[in-house]
Structure formats: C-alpha cells, structure tokens
Amino acid sequence: MKKNKFWASMWPYLYAYKWKLFFCVICAFVVGVCVAVQPLVIKYIVDDGISNEMLESDAKIRIVSVMCLVYIILSLARVFIWRAGYSRMFRALEGALFNLRSVFFSHVQTMGMSFHENTSAGELFNCIMGTPMVNIKTYMTQAFMSIPYQAVSLVISLAALTSYDGLLTLVLLLTALLMALLNKMAQGKMRRVSHEYIQTEAQASKYLTDTLNGMDAIKIYSIENNTYEKFQNMIGNMYEKGVTTALYQQNEAIKPEIIQYLGTAVVYMVGSVLRVYRGLSVGTLYAFLSCMTSVLGILINWLNIGLVRASACSGLGKISDVLRTESATPEKDESRQRSVEVERKNASLNKKPCIEFSHVDFAYENRKIFTDFSCRIKYGESVALVGASGSGKSTFTKLAMRLYDVQAGCVNVHGKDVRDYSLHDLRVSFGVVPQNTFIFFGSIWDNVKIARPNASNREIIEAMEIAHVHEFVNDLEQGWNTVVGDGGLDLSGGQKQRIAIARAVLGNPDILIFDEATSALDNASEHAIQDAMEQLMKTHTVIIIAHRLSTVRNVDRIMVFDKGLVAEEGTYDELGSIPNGIFATLLKRGE
C-alpha cells in the first residue's frame, strides 16, 4: 500500500476527529518555531552578550539575563503546547483505531460462512489487536505531531543556516542528501520484511487460537508434546522474523546516523578554518552547529518514519484486504428489504409454504450437495430430516437461514426469497439448537438470556423450565448465577444442550431447528427434552435433524435425504413399512 492510499484508507476513520487533529498540528507548528528559535537565542547570548567587547559587564549580564528568560519562555511554551497537542492527538488516534476496529469487526460478522471456514479466528484477531494496529498507530503519531513541528523547525533552521555561511550550508546539504539516498534504498526491503513478520505473526496467532479452542481434543488424544513442538516452531519462526525485522530497521537507521557524524566532523573542520582565517564569530559557529544538529536529527527522524510508514502500510494493507472482501451473502439496500413479520402473516393467510426450495443447486468449494432440489414445509408442520452424513440435511437448514447462498434456484421463507430479507431479521425468525452448543463465559442465566437480552425474568424462567434446565440448576450452590468457564467446560454435554434449547425457546422464533438436539443426552434427559420438543411442535414449525430415529417417531413427516435428494418421505410408520427402503434399513440397523 502506497503512502497516498494509506491516508485515503484511514481518512474515513479519522474524519470525526479532524478538529482535534487540526489543533494538534497547529500546536506542533508552534513547537517547531520554539525548537528552531532556541539555538538563535544562544547565538545572541554568546555574540551580543558574553563576547561583546563594546559593552560593560553589567550591560552584558542584562542582555544574557533577558535572553535566558526568552530561552526559558520558549522551553516552557514548547513543553506545555506539545502536551496540549499530544493529548488531543492521542484521543483522535485512539478514536480512529476504535472506528477501524469497529468497522473491521462489523464487516467480519457480515461475512458468510465460507469466509469464516477459510479464515482463522487467530488471523482476524491479529488484524484487529496485533502488530498491524500497533504499526498504524505508531506511524500516525509521528505524522501528526513529529513531522509538522520538525518541518517548521527545519525551514527556520535552514533559513538561518543559509544566512550564516554558504560553504557550511553546502556541507550540510550534501550530508542530508546522502542520508536520504541511503534511506530510500532501504524502504522497499523494509516493507517486505515487515510484511513477512506480520504474516508469520498471523500464522502463530491462528495456530494458538485453534489450539486453545481444541484443548479438549489435545488431551483426549494425548498429543501435548506434538502440539508444543509445533507451537515452538511457530513462535521460533516468529522470533527469527521479528529479530530480522528489528535488526534490519536498526541497521538501516545506523547508516544515516554515521553519515551525520561524518558530516558534523566536516562542519567542525570547515567552521574552525573559517573562524581562524575569515573571522567567523564563535556565536555564529555555535548557532550553526546547534541548527545543524537539529536539522540532521529531524532528517534522521523523517528517514526512520519512512521505515515505520512501510510497516504501517503493510499492516493497513492486510486489514484492507479483509475489508475489501465481499460477503458471499450480500444484503439488499434497507429500503428494498421485505419485512419478515409482514410476509409471514401474508404467507400464512394465503396458505403458502413456510419454507420452499425451488430447483436449488448448491455446492461447497469442492463438493456438490444439491442439484435441481425442490421441497416444501408447511406452517405448523414438524419435519424430520434423516439420512447419512453428508447427504444435505444440515445444508438444508443453513440455506434456509441464508448462512450460504444458492448457486441456482431460490429458497423462499414466508413466500419470499431469503435474499429479500435483512439477514438479522431472517435469522432471528429461526431458533436453532445446534449439535455442538457454544457456552459463553458467564452465568447460566446470562447464557440463556443472550438469545433475547430484553426478555423478562419470567420469560427466561419459563424457557428454562421448558428445556428442563432447572433440573440441574437447582442442584448447583449458586443456581442460575453459577459461572461456567470458557466453552462451558464445567457443564456436561446434556446440560449444554438444555441451555441451547432454552435459548431457542426464549428467542420466540417462528421456526425451530433441532440439529441432533438429543444426541448428547442421557435417557432421562432425552425423554424430558422429547416432551418439550413435542410440546413446541404444536405451536411452531419444527425441523429436526436426527440420526437417532427414535426421536422422530411423532413428527408429521420424515424426509429421507440421500446424495442431495429426498429419496423417501412420509410418516414414521409409512417409511418403516417400505420393503428394503432407506428408512426401513436404518431402522433395522438400530439407528
């Protein structure tokens, strides 16, 4: 990412703080004036005060005292004005990064499932909280405060230097030119090594996140040593890249510094000759050396900023790559979106299907699922989806909720294409009990309430009772307020499933999806949940994905999936009586 693109990309996030940034730049300019004028004050102290043989001692002291007071005033102004500007700049930059993080996180949440399947959570975490953001902040801090004050100081110092002596100024300019050339040669490689470090850090973050999330599997299979060795290799590579990046930046920074020292030595030599043979005043020589030190210091800082900018551009480039990625499930403009509530009422009154697949084609990246697939589910109907793994059962519900978009045909919910609705409104009309329930860190009460934060206490309690959560909560010392660990590690599989069912019920959805909801339950819990499911079948449209056929005996209709097709459908007894049928075969196997 080039410099102009960097600022074009960052400006939308900085715009809200433009006046704070404008104020800090003005402060920086004033500080630059103070910094540049201070060496000139020293010249007057030396030439007009201490070395002025035409004045009496008292007069010299008065001039020195006045100049010292001016120097103190400039120093205090420099300190306090810088602080005022820096505080506003800090608020502005933190606000801009807040905006960038918010937009990034919001964008990631709108992305379809295909994006999240191909992008690690660790990599995304690194973008939003890792080195890329640090590099961006570091560069912008320099750009809004250091560069403006140094620019003013540089202009004033160069003007003063030119007025002192042309030969000395020529030596200074040649020194500065050589420093700039060395830095220019380093920036391209700096961008490359910085990009490599960010990539390596992202890979390490990805592996660490996946490993921590899979800690139970690591312990089950006793692969701690292998996992540790792989992690050591990851962070070892990150160590090598980090050292390479830091040392390269340091080595490139040393080169201009060496040139500065050589240039300063030449100026001392030339200045001494001019003092001896041409009568150059001591104050002028001292002021020139002070200004030169300031100018070359500014130049070195700018050259280092160029290296920092290369790192910042690499970081923002990585973030921008994600932000430029378009969602696989894009939404229509809000003004063109249909209302789920209105369409549900219309579809129900006009006897339209609740869910309808019409000539649907769908494939994952490397696997075809549906070809010219069509089916209907009526309002208030309970339907079970059974069949072998990979036959399309879970994909059916994901397409209905628009977690993926079809490649051909359409999926209608409440009589309208799912692409006509807001993703949020569409998905909250479904209540899902997944096969693997995620439990957030917090109390059991909060884990249920998350489905509908504005729900009343009574509604939450009723949802828990329907899901039989109270049966195990009552045995806990702190009851509903019991805090469970990351991922719900303190809960059994059956307890997690009951919390998931309570969430689904609390959301008060139009359609309930039970994806192997009783797979992790013991017999007693399964019977209790089965009763709850059958109660909900009376008031909701219910879809049950099941391998255990005993759980779908009382549904209105069973659809048997086989290789992306509905190979059989009917009631439990109808399908069980088909000789050599798929469902009958599954029953014989005891599935």
Side-chain angles (χ1 to χ4, degrees), residues 496-507:
K496 292 179 185 178
Q497 287 295 75
R498 285 191 248 183
I499 288 177
I501 293 171
R503 285 178 185 164
V505 172
L506 182 64

Side-chain angles (χ1 to χ4, degrees), residues 188-202:
K189 187 174 180 181
M190 189 63 215
R191 275 191 292 268
R192 180 176 63 78
V193 297
S194 178
H195 178 73
E196 290 175 356
Y197 176 76
I198 290 173
Q199 290 292 97
T200 304
E201 184 186 52

